[in-house]
Amino acid sequence: QSDLVAAAPGGVVAQGLVRKLGVTCRESYWAMPETLSGLPVAEAGYGEGPAQLWRAKGCDHCNGRGFLGRAAVFEILEIDERTRDLIRPDVGADLIQDAARKAGMTSMLIDGLAKCRAGVTTIEELGRAVTSD
């Protein structure tokens, strides 16, 4: 399997799906920093202090669910020479992931947090869709 990844010409894309908030009824709220502790919020564009997040409310347009449609959260691994050299059976996935992040890879969690910040989805929905970073 690692041979297939190493042979990939440009990169690998992973995708998760989150439910999109209904734009006509979503409501914002302020979450305290403790709510987001342990999450890489600075990498997703959050500042220090309370963070504006969004929650589902529900209306006639979304049939009272608060969500309408889906949005993708992405992780894109560009396979450069350094990464290609690491993709071998004797190298663990954690080492490859660390090298990819240092090279600028954005994880699904970071992409999802940015979408939470923009009001596309909720932090709870992101937690459901992206179980680990």
Side-chain angles (χ1 to χ4, degrees), residues 9-51:
V12 179
V13 177
Q15 168 187 304
L17 293 175
V18 293
R19 294 180 298 166
K20 286 174 55 175
L21 283 165
V23 294
T24 58
C25 65
R26 68 182 177 181
E27 61 182 17
S28 67
Y29 68 98
W30 291 95
M32 298 312 290
E34 307 84 64
T35 305
L36 302 174
S37 68
L39 294 173
V41 292
E43 294 176 56
Y46 290 83
E48 293 184 23

Side-chain angles (χ1 to χ4, degrees), residues 21-104:
L21 283 165
V23 294
T24 58
C25 65
R26 68 182 177 181
E27 61 182 17
S28 67
Y29 68 98
W30 291 95
M32 298 312 290
E34 307 84 64
T35 305
L36 302 174
S37 68
L39 294 173
V41 292
E43 294 176 56
Y46 290 83
E48 293 184 23
Q52 184 181 24
L53 295 176
W54 300 83
R55 63 178 148 232
K57 186 175 176 186
C59 66
D60 290 339
H61 190 254
C62 64
N63 293 324
R65 291 177 293 205
F67 295 95
L68 194 60
R70 303 230 181 240
V73 289
F74 295 103
E75 183 167 279
I76 301 171
L77 168 61
E78 184 178 337
I79 300 182
D80 57 11
E81 285 304 314
R82 183 167 188 256
T83 309
R84 192 176 313 278
D85 291 343
L86 287 174
I87 301 173
R88 310 185 305 264
D90 63 317
V91 176
D94 290 344
L95 184 62
I96 297 168
Q97 189 174 41
D98 287 344
R101 284 198 180 128
K102 287 176 184 170

